[in-house]
Each structure stands twice: as structure tokens, then as C-alpha cells.
Amino acid sequence: MGAFIAKMLLPTISSLVFLPAASVAAKRGFHMEAMVYFFTMFFIAIYHACDGPGLSILCIMKYEILEYFSVYGTAISMWVTLLALGDFDEPKRSSLTMFGVLTSAVRIYQDRWGYGIYSGPIGTAVFMITVKWLQKMKEKKGLYPDKSVYTQQVGPGFCFGALALMLRFYFEEWEYAYVHSFYHVSLAVSFILLLPKKNRYAGTGRNAAKLKCYTLCCYITTSDEGKSKDYLDYSSKTLDADMWSWPAIRQIPATHHVMQ
């Protein structure tokens, strides 16, 4: 009986592997990706817990809603991970992220179990990354990115991702609890491998942005902590404007320059 219960709880427990993926993403400066991984972990864990023995109390939402967002979170996790790998510039990066969020929501609502829910985002992202990297190779007249990226990140990451999808669509009939649990593990490992080592938009050194409760509540990033109070007060005044007019930005005097 104990072995049966453990087997039923295995998919729920294995979904927690997305927590290390979220932790690694946050440590590397990919805070948005970390939130997406945590979102995915939450809904997958609750969704599988509703199937477990004696855990129906955890079904805080309708079963169909949990099922939808578990699939949706997985698809969005794949999308944002590949966009991070592509290292697109703004505003292309944010625009592509929102494009994937909106289109995946519609696609998964129509059919949440078809191949297209994952093949669509993956195929689109891989195509865009390939085009960008080929253009970089043409400009540099050499390999882009470095060979180590292909051997240590891209190659192993795609291998684990392909393994996860194969387990998800072709082998779950063998032993659902074990196969689906290993699918969770393979997917989380692929996310960790495919994420770049550092988010270049997050800053470096003392100016590195860190996600804290104080940051979310007060709109002050840790990169601002080294700046003087007078500078922050002056900057807020120069950008002050109502919602119906453009802010009149004045040139900051030399006395307000801040040493980085």
C-alpha cells in the first residue's frame, strides 16, 4: 500500500525539480524566466496532487483550470528559455515574449494535448535563433557563439529537451508515474542547460539587478542603491509629468553625476 501511494505521489514530487531551475535562473539574472518556472511548478504540482490519494484538499481550483495552466506554463517555459538563449535585443525580446504568451494561450485553449502546443513555440524560436546566429557568423566570419556554448549548453540542452518530449508523447503508456516524473526532470535540466550563464540586461558587479521584495514594492532596484539620494530625487523630478503630456527632460548638471 505504501509503495502504491508513493507511486501516485511521484509526479507531484518530481514537479518540484522546477524549483532549482527557477533558483538558477534568478541567480543568473533571468528573473522573468524564474517566475515562469515557479508558475509552472506550482500548477503542475497542484494538478498532479489532485490525482493523488487523500490530497483532494489541495485542489484550490477547478481541475480543468489546473490542467490548462500546467500545460500553458510548460509551453511558456520553453518559449522564454529559447528566447533567453537567442539573446535578442530590446524591444524585440519583450515583443516576442508577449507574442508567445498570447498565441500559446489561444492555441492551448483549442487543444491542450496536441503536438502543436510545444512544436509551435520550439520551431518558431529555433528558426529565429538560427537566422540570428547565421547573421552573426556572416558578420564575424567565424563561429558564433563560441564552441563551448554548443558543446556545454545547446547540445546537451536540446538532447534533454528532446528526451522530455519523447517521454511525454510516446512512452507515458509504459508506466505513467515513473515516465512522467522523468519527463519533469529532463525538462527542468534542459531549461538549466539552455539558459545563458548571465543575463546581459541584469547588469554586472555592483550594478547587478537583484529581485527582492523591496524592489517589487518600492520600484528601487539594487543597482540604484549605490546612487545618492539627491540624484534619485533630482532624477524623479526631471521625469515628472502627467499622463497626458510628454515629460520635459532637462540636462542633469555636472554636480549630479554619479560615479559608477
Side-chain angles (χ1 to χ4, degrees):
M1 185 64 180
F4 174 77
I5 295 176
K7 182 179 177 181
M8 292 295 294
L9 293 177
L10 195 57
T12 303
I13 298 173
S14 64
S15 64
L16 299 179
V17 296
F18 290 100
L19 192 59
S23 177
V24 171
K27 186 176 181 180
R28 295 178 182 179
F30 293 96
H31 299 132
M32 179 191 69
E33 289 77 3
M35 287 191 218
V36 173
Y37 298 156
F38 186 82
F39 174 90
T40 304
M41 180 206 69
F42 175 80
F43 278 99
I44 290 179
I46 301 300
Y47 167 66
H48 286 299
C50 290
D51 291 331
L55 296 178
S56 59
I57 191 175
L58 296 177
C59 297
I60 57 177
M61 301 179 186
K62 291 183 178 180
Y63 188 80
E64 293 77 11
I65 296 177
L66 295 174
E67 182 183 66
Y68 174 84
F69 280 109
S70 64
V71 178
Y72 177 71
T74 303
I76 296 302
S77 297
M78 296 177 182
W79 178 251
V80 298
T81 302
L82 292 173
L83 290 184
L85 176 65
D87 195 26
F88 295 98
D89 296 323
E90 293 290 354
K92 183 184 293 184
R93 182 182 182 182
S94 57
S95 300
L96 290 174
T97 301
M98 186 54 61
F99 172 79
V101 168
L102 297 176
T103 55
S104 295
V106 177
R107 178 66 181 87
I108 296 173
Y109 183 80
Q110 291 179 334
D111 179 17
R112 65 192 64 175
W113 300 117
Y115 300 116
I117 58 175
Y118 300 141
S119 62
I122 293 174
T124 303
V126 169
F127 175 76
M128 293 187 299
I129 293 173
T130 303
V131 171
K132 179 186 176 181
W133 287 3
L134 288 176
Q135 291 176 345
K136 291 288 187 178
M137 291 180 188
K138 185 177 180 181
E139 294 174 0
K140 293 181 59 177
K141 296 182 179 179
L143 185 64
Y144 179 89
D146 296 335
K147 183 179 179 180
S148 60
V149 176
Y150 289 97
T151 57
Q152 300 176 12
Q153 291 180 242
V154 178
F158 275 107
C159 286
F160 274 98
L163 175 62
L165 293 178
M166 290 175 62
L167 293 173
R168 166 68 176 77
F169 289 106
Y170 297 107
F171 296 101
E172 280 193 346
E173 296 180 356
W174 287 8
E175 193 68 48
Y176 177 81
Y178 298 112
V179 173
H180 197 78
S181 299
F182 195 64
Y183 156 71
H184 290 160
V185 175
S186 301
L187 197 61
V189 172
S190 70
F191 292 157
I192 295 175
L193 290 173
L194 290 175
L195 272 181
K197 299 300 183 182
K198 189 68 180 177
N199 184 4
R200 63 187 176 98
Y201 292 103
T204 57
R206 294 177 57 186
N207 293 327
K210 297 180 181 179
L211 192 64
K212 298 180 180 179
C213 294
Y214 181 73
T215 303
L216 294 174
C217 297
C218 304
Y219 193 63
I220 299 293
T221 61
T222 53
S223 59
D224 290 333
E225 293 176 357
K227 298 181 180 179
S228 65
K229 183 177 183 299
D230 294 338
Y231 174 79
L232 293 175
D233 292 341
Y234 184 85
S235 299
S236 62
K237 292 179 181 178
T238 58
L239 296 176
D240 189 21
D242 58 51
M243 62 183 296
W244 306 111
S245 61
W246 291 99
I249 302 176
R250 299 187 297 273
Q251 185 174 4
I252 300 177
T255 56
H256 291 280
H257 286 175
V258 179
M259 296 297 293
Q260 297 294 333

